[in-house]
Amino acid sequence: MVKIDWEKLTFAFMPTKSNIRFHYADGKWSEGELTSSYDITLSVAANVMHYGQAAFEGGKAFRCKDGKVRAFRPDENGKRLNSSARRLLMPEFPVEKFVEAVKTVVADNAEYVPPYGTGGSLYIRPVMFGTTPQIGVAPSKEYELVIMVMPVGAYYKGGIKPVDALVARDFDRAAPLGTGNIKAAGNYAASLLSSKHAHDNNCAVALFLDPATRTYIDEFGTSNFLAIDKNGNYVTSESQSILPSITNKSLMTVAADLGLKVERRKVRVEELADFTEVAACGTAVVITPVGRIFDGDKVYDYHLTEIGPVLRKLYDRMTGIQYGEVEDTHNWTVECC
Ligand code: PLP
Ligand code: COI
């Protein structure tokens, strides 16, 4: 067994036993190859270095109560990777082959999956990028898909303790009809400055508005926006410039299972004053409650010292399914080993 202090895990990079790699050339993807190396040999003229033809994904696998390791909805990651690939003119990767690759790399790294009860998980990070050396602006001819895994704990310090957010009024994270709805690497580079601005103002995360009008709430730099209104309804943003979050999609189902009304709609910034609970949701952040949101001189304060009661129920049901404590009635989990 590897020596890791499971309780102290954060969201830091850590090499593990292996990653799995596929190469695309002459119109087809290779068979996967497990390797212990984290290095690649790449020309400085490779497309990805200049024109950023690159997309990634994020998923998780969990050591369950019965000792088995299960990945959470890896098919959804495969489908979203393909939607990113289509938008960036990269080749799609067959979803079934993707799920098999996830199972293979998770199983090969079983000793790195945090034990049940520690609150940790194995983060799954696929990345696809264009490798052909070229200087004209055109899609690459060859590509690499690497799926790496690493044990992780909470993304934000303090686990599910409330964090503060700053409304990004400096830059937008995506153009109105740009790449905001895919996991293009460039979106994240473009969000770094606003995130730094948030951090400089003692906020953990930036909250972006719709880039066309800056009237509606889009999403956080790391995650989707969700709120509970005064009637106990689940409210989340509908926008063309946000990532279709697998966590949010799953939570909407869980919320409906728990009897909550789900509203996926445009959310005006001023509505922040009316919500009783607000959170960021995503694979990495799970459900992270938001205590205060700063927007210029305005402060929206939810007076939280811990996660609120409705979000707590959603959190418990969702993580219960992931850790195999609650029946997986939607068949979301995939056994890896
Ligand atoms: N929005 C952004 C910008 C993200 O980076 C993420 C993380 O993947 C999400 C939303 C949440 O998506 P998911 O729940 O699929 O992880
Ligand atoms: C994820 O949640 O998987 C992401 O990719 C978000 C990133 C901020 C770590």
Side-chain angles (χ1 to χ4, degrees):
M1 202 59 188
V2 289
K3 267 210 178 124
I4 292 173
D5 193 346
W6 304 108
E7 317 277 347
K8 293 220 172 79
L9 280 173
T10 60
F11 205 85
F13 170 73
M14 177 189 300
T16 57
K17 183 183 165 205
S18 65
N19 55 84
I20 189 165
R21 300 179 181 196
F22 298 84
H23 185 66
Y24 182 90
D26 303 322
K28 54 179 186 296
W29 284 104
S30 68
E31 290 308 310
E33 207 180 310
L34 285 166
T35 168
S36 60
S37 170
Y38 277 83
D39 297 335
I40 51 164
T41 302
L42 195 64
S43 166
V44 288
N47 175 304
V48 64
M49 304 290 282
H50 304 254
Y51 306 125
Q53 227 188 349
F56 68 100
E57 268 304 322
K60 274 181 178 171
F62 301 83
R63 174 79 61 186
C64 295
K65 208 175 169 186
D66 64 2
K68 297 224 159 94
V69 178
R70 294 183 180 87
F72 186 72
R73 308 192 81 174
D75 54 323
E76 291 291 332
N77 290 115
K79 285 190 237 166
R80 193 171 60 189
L81 179 65
N82 284 342
S83 114
S84 299
R86 285 193 295 276
R87 176 65 180 82
L88 300 177
L89 268 182
M90 300 197 288
E92 292 189 37
F93 191 87
V95 173
E96 261 176 46
K97 187 168 168 146
F98 180 87
V99 172
E100 282 310 308
V102 167
K103 283 161 83 174
T104 303
V105 69
V106 169
D108 200 50
N109 288 278
E111 61 187 335
Y112 286 90
V113 186
Y116 173 72
T118 58
S121 56
L122 189 75
Y123 186 67
I124 303 164
R125 169 52 64 86
V127 58
M128 186 194 285
F129 50 93
T131 57
T132 304
Q134 61 189 61
I135 219 67
V137 182
S140 183
K141 290 184 188 66
E142 299 197 7
Y143 296 84
E144 199 77 13
L145 170 64
V146 183
I147 307 178
M148 37 186 184
V149 293
M150 67 206 78
V152 296
Y155 190 82
Y156 294 114
K157 252 195 272 158
I160 53 168
K161 285 266 174 273
V163 298
D164 289 339
L166 179 73
V167 174
R169 296 273 179 191
D170 51 354
F171 298 104
D172 303 307
R173 66 172 279 284
L177 282 175
T179 52
N181 61 348
I182 59 168
K183 254 173 124 59
N187 292 344
Y188 292 81
S191 75
L192 292 176
L193 198 47
S194 299
S195 297
K196 179 179 184 305
H197 192 188
H199 300 155
D200 290 347
N201 284 275
N202 296 316
C203 289
V205 68
L207 177 59
F208 292 91
L209 305 180
D210 81 282
T213 70
R214 291 193 166 185
T215 308
Y216 303 101
I217 294 172
D218 249 4
E219 66 174 335
F220 296 99
T222 55
S223 41
N224 270 187
F225 171 90
L226 87 85
I228 305 299
D229 72 11
K230 287 192 174 115
N231 301 316
N233 298 330
Y234 183 112
V235 180
T236 192
S237 313
E238 178 154 59
S239 164
Q240 288 174 305
S241 46
I242 64 173
L243 191 75
S245 155
I246 298 161
T247 311
N248 199 1
K249 180 177 169 174
S250 309
L251 283 172
M252 284 189 254
T253 303
V254 164
D257 288 349
L258 292 173
L260 271 68
K261 191 168 154 246
V262 174
E263 293 181 11
R264 192 163 158 263
R265 58 170 175 82
K266 288 185 168 186
V267 181
R268 281 181 300 104
V269 188
E270 298 74 40
E271 285 187 69
L272 287 173
D274 304 330
F275 296 129
T276 56
E277 298 175 50
V278 167
C281 71
T283 299
V285 308
V286 195
I287 298 178
T288 298
V290 176
R292 293 179 299 178
I293 301 176
F294 297 87
D295 184 10
D297 295 337
K298 278 206 196 82
V299 186
Y300 302 95
D301 193 339
Y302 300 99
H303 302 286
L304 292 179
T305 49
E306 57 182 65
I307 189 165
V310 181
L311 292 176
R312 177 91 236 180
K313 270 192 215 150
L314 291 166
Y315 181 91
D316 287 348
R317 175 66 74 98
M318 180 74 166
T319 54
I321 295 169
Q322 292 173 327
Y323 286 109
E325 298 155 347
V326 171
E327 197 191 343
D328 175 20
T329 52
H330 302 286
N331 279 321
W332 283 338
T333 62
V334 173
E335 190 177 316
C336 300
C337 56

